[in-house]
Amino acid sequence: MPVNAGYEYFAAQRKYQEARTLDEKIRALEELIKAAPGHKGAENVLAQLKTKLARLKAQKTAARKKSGGRVTTVPKTGAAQVCIVGFANAGKSELLRTLTGVGEPSPTPYATKTPRVGMMLYEDVQIQVVEIPSGMSSEFLSIAHNAELVIFLYDAAKTEDVERLMKIAEDENLENILWAANVISEKKAVGFAVNAASGDNVDELKRMVWQRLRLVRVYTKIAGKKAETRPLTLPKGSTVRDVARDVHKDFLKNFKFARVWGSAKFPGAQVGLDHVVRDKDIIELHVG
Ligand SMILES: Nc1nc2c(ncn2[C@@H]2O[C@H](COP(=O)(O)OP(=O)(O)OP(=O)(O)O)[C@@H](O)[C@H]2O)c(=O)[nH]1
Ligand SMILES: [Mg+2]
């Protein structure tokens, strides 16, 4: 950590640590480099950051080349995007249907030809779920690069598929992966298992998805009024500053203090911009 680094540097550093997709990482690293102090003592750190950035950019170019420049993106909605990746007939469409109500399972392998998108509700948080077609073309796998989390779903009776999926994870540089075996036949699964069709253990899967997304939700509120019922979601470790910025830039500019129910010392205690918020906090922003 460079000496005399300013607030922006630490904020950018946190953003980089929280970045989940390749694009997010590149963007955060660029900000981090911009915010790094210019003095001599920080030269080494800056050089390291630049090397890291060059490596990430090379990764991105390689991924693009592999797909012949064809990249499919699924516009993100909700708190995060989660992809389901797996081989033919692993039960991806069944899982998508169980999680979101969207999805047409079929006994025919490779039945899903294009990415299918649904919205899953975890408690009161909307999470987007995308089924990637089984062909595993680089074009469609490019969606997984931009997703915050990838579920690798495999038929519990075909453990050899795990190895094949591990190879894909490595080749595609996918990091945030949740492995799930789908118990289609009677075969007992090794590791975490669900039954996509009956929904067995799917609630546990949803809970794991939420955990792995490393998000917190907060409910903002205006003094004298009830808190919003729809939460705002932010990366874990976010502060009142991030909440204020997300609500409106004027809230940050004119910020005086916030009252917090949840993570504060006592319900409704006054906190400043640096207060780290926790999941399910109620945040009342006071501006002047
Ligand atoms: N009994 C049972 N059948 C399942 C389960 N999951 C999937 N199936 C069946 O297995 C077949 C394939 O399931 P899909 O969900 O279509 O598989 P997929 O991974 O989407 O496959 P493609 O997109 O076609 O490559 C369908 O007939 C499903 O109904 C399960 O958990 N239990
Ligand atoms: Mg399918």
Side-chain angles (χ1 to χ4, degrees):
M1 173 187 318
V3 260
N4 299 332
Y7 161 74
E8 280 84 14
Y9 182 82
F10 292 107
Q13 194 175 44
R14 215 203 58 227
K15 237 191 206 165
Y16 175 65
Q17 280 158 358
E18 291 294 332
R20 290 154 297 189
T21 68
L22 191 56
D23 281 347
E24 270 176 22
K25 277 184 195 160
I26 290 174
R27 231 175 298 130
L29 204 49
E30 280 169 347
E31 271 179 44
L32 192 56
I33 288 170
K34 242 190 259 161
H39 62 77
K40 268 230 163 286
E43 265 173 6
N44 264 347
V45 178
L46 199 58
Q48 276 169 18
L49 294 177
K50 283 182 177 167
T51 311
K52 220 182 269 176
L53 179 63
R55 203 180 315 132
L56 291 181
K57 282 189 168 167
Q59 254 178 39
K60 195 176 161 169
T61 314
R64 206 179 279 150
K65 243 189 218 152
K66 234 168 116 189
S67 61
R70 284 186 311 276
V71 171
T72 299
T73 48
V74 173
K76 287 187 185 181
T77 55
Q81 189 179 72
V82 178
C83 285
I84 308 174
V85 172
F87 294 114
N89 277 358
K92 298 180 293 302
S93 296
E94 278 285 5
L95 185 61
L96 182 72
R97 184 164 72 175
T98 303
L99 291 173
T100 71
V102 175
E104 302 94 30
S106 154
T108 315
Y110 301 98
T112 309
K113 306 276 185 223
T114 54
R116 300 286 287 133
V117 186
M119 273 308 234
M120 151 184 137
L121 195 64
Y122 170 75
E123 295 178 352
D124 54 1
V125 183
Q126 301 264 3
I127 297 168
Q128 192 182 39
V129 186
V130 185
E131 175 186 357
I132 307 288
S134 308
M136 307 268 186
S137 68
S138 295
E139 178 183 357
F140 292 144
L141 279 174
S142 65
I143 299 168
H145 289 145
N146 265 311
E148 278 76 24
L149 177 69
V150 179
I151 298 174
F152 268 7
L153 187 73
Y154 59 96
D155 182 338
K158 297 182 185 163
T159 40
E160 67 277 12
D161 282 355
V162 174
E163 236 163 84
R164 293 169 67 204
L165 287 171
M166 277 168 94
K167 175 95 177 61
I168 288 170
E170 203 184 303
D171 290 351
E172 298 292 328
N173 253 306
L174 299 173
E175 282 171 11
N176 202 11
I177 299 171
L178 208 161
W179 292 85
N182 188 20
V183 184
I184 301 175
S185 60
E186 294 305 304
K187 173 102 187 187
K188 245 194 132 22
V190 182
F192 178 73
V194 293
N195 187 308
S198 72
D200 279 359
N201 234 8
V202 166
D203 279 344
E204 177 62 9
L205 177 72
K206 280 182 164 190
R207 212 183 50 74
M208 285 163 78
V209 165
W210 171 250
Q211 244 174 21
R212 293 289 290 273
L213 288 173
R214 299 194 302 268
L215 295 170
V216 290
R217 80 202 100 161
V218 301
Y219 305 89
T220 53
K221 137 183 217 314
I222 295 173
K225 297 233 170 97
K226 275 193 173 162
E228 293 282 335
T229 48
R230 290 186 61 174
L232 203 67
T233 48
L234 303 113
K236 252 186 195 165
S238 292
T239 59
V240 167
R241 180 181 283 102
D242 301 309
V243 175
R245 194 188 290 122
D246 267 20
V247 173
H248 196 279
K249 62 178 188 322
D250 287 350
F251 270 84
L252 183 57
K253 212 166 75 194
N254 305 320
F255 178 86
K256 271 171 68 189
F257 64 90
R259 288 191 192 285
V260 174
W261 284 260
S263 63
K265 277 193 189 120
F266 56 87
Q270 212 167 300
V271 300
L273 285 173
D274 290 330
H275 179 82
V276 175
V277 298
R278 224 172 36 204
D279 191 35
K280 296 187 182 166
D281 272 358
I282 296 173
I283 317 270
E284 186 178 272
L285 296 167
H286 289 254
V287 289

